[in-house]
Amino acid sequence: DVQLVESGGGLVQPGGSLRLSCVASGFTFATYTMNWVRQAPGKGLEWISYISGSRDPDTVYYVDSVKGRFTISRDNAKNSLYLQMNSLRAEDTAVYYCARRSKIPGLVDYGIDVWGQGTTVTVSS
Amino acid sequence: DIVMTQSPDSLAVSLGERATINCKSSQSVLFSSNNKDYLAWYQQKPGQPPKLLIYWTSIRASGVPDRFSGSGSGTDFTLTISSLQAEDVAVYYCLQYYSAPNTFGQGTKLEIK
């Protein structure tokens, strides 16, 4: 089964740091572009970052609200995706989802097709 | 950034009736090289992650019942549930994945009347 499992969430004070992890299984992780999407309590979905897979040019991208504070990375040998979050603010409080972008170049692009269950980050003093 | 605007914000429909959710993008999400609109629809139930329903505007993801359909082009898109079932109560989101940052609509909450 294709699966994404996030971990690393928790309670952190404003200005603090946290590192989220996502372990993938059931597919060839290295070839897929991976994303982080968050959802603040009672709010909608916000896409925040992606990192390209091995079939695409090396690219990372961040939404403006996290640029310069968050860093996305991956370790293909460990089938793992990471999000290093620094200088955390109250408005970063959310459930953070790891999500797979699925496409076959020249054939099909499903968009984001697989999601983890999410890990909760709470920024509060 | 492309702004996605859904309407309505909430919707109450009787069981067995049709439900229609609209999504408008501030720019075209049409990829000219393959003539596909990069627009997807997701269903999210409480306490669960989103589930992909529709990609490329109108193609149902694997296992999605055929009462769900997507339509539209350019900047205006629609998700239709032809005959509402109790298990369809959820929040529905559109997503443009044409350009970064990918952007979601604000969501439409669907309830039973």
Side-chain angles (χ1 to χ4, degrees):
Chain A
D1 273 7
V2 173
Q3 196 172 11
L4 299 170
V5 179
E6 303 94 335
S7 61
L11 175 63
V12 60
Q13 292 187 339
S17 298
L18 214 52
R19 189 194 196 207
L20 306 184
S21 300
C22 169
V23 177
S25 59
F27 64 100
T28 308
F29 175 75
T31 62
Y32 287 82
T33 291
M34 297 299 296
N35 302 262
W36 288 101
V37 178
R38 69 183 179 184
Q39 187 168 34
K43 302 297 184 183
L45 301 166
E46 181 186 25
W47 179 92
I48 59 172
S49 182
Y50 84 78
I51 185 166
S52 58
S54 59
R55 289 188 291 204
D56 295 306
D58 287 347
T59 308
V60 296
Y61 195 97
Y62 303 95
V63 71
D64 284 348
S65 58
V66 307
K67 204 173 292 182
R69 301 188 299 124
F70 290 11
T71 302
I72 191 171
S73 62
R74 65 192 301 161
D75 184 338
N76 291 334
K78 295 183 178 180
N79 287 344
S80 293
L81 176 73
Y82 305 102
L83 187 67
Q84 177 67 45
M85 304 187 295
N86 299 330
S87 303
L88 283 161
R89 307 165 180 168
E91 55 265 35
D92 296 317
T93 294
V95 175
Y96 284 73
Y97 293 103
C98 166
R100 184 182 82 171
R101 169 79 176 255
S102 189
K103 62 180 178 180
I104 303 172
L107 286 178
V108 66
D109 192 334
Y110 300 97
I112 296 175
D113 69 334
V114 177
W115 300 70
Q117 289 297 313
T119 187
T120 301
V121 172
T122 303
V123 184
S124 174
S125 54
Chain B
D1 298 358
I2 298 177
V3 177
M4 307 300 289
T5 304
Q6 290 180 227
S7 61
D9 290 333
S10 63
L11 181 62
V13 174
S14 300
L15 289 173
E17 295 300 305
R18 179 185 299 262
T20 301
I21 299 170
N22 301 299
C23 177
K24 187 174 183 68
S25 59
S26 61
Q27 304 170 38
S28 173
V29 296
L30 176 69
F31 193 42
S32 56
S33 68
N34 61 7
N35 203 37
K36 298 291 188 183
D37 290 291
Y38 279 56
L39 189 286
W41 288 97
Y42 296 85
Q43 175 193 65
Q44 187 179 33
K45 297 180 179 179
Q48 296 184 19
K51 173 189 174 183
L52 176 65
L53 296 176
I54 303 282
Y55 63 96
W56 270 351
T57 299
S58 62
I59 303 177
R60 276 188 301 276
S62 177
V64 174
D66 61 6
R67 64 180 181 273
F68 291 91
S69 64
S71 62
S73 64
T75 60
D76 290 280
F77 305 92
T78 300
L79 174 70
T80 301
I81 308 172
S82 60
S83 177
L84 189 71
Q85 305 299 303
E87 61 265 33
D88 299 335
V89 169
V91 179
Y92 292 83
Y93 295 92
C94 61
L95 166 72
Q96 70 79 17
Y97 56 107
Y98 170 77
S99 68
N102 294 172
T103 42
F104 292 91
Q106 79 277 17
T108 295
K109 186 174 184 179
L110 178 58
E111 299 173 313
I112 305 294
K113 186 186 292 183

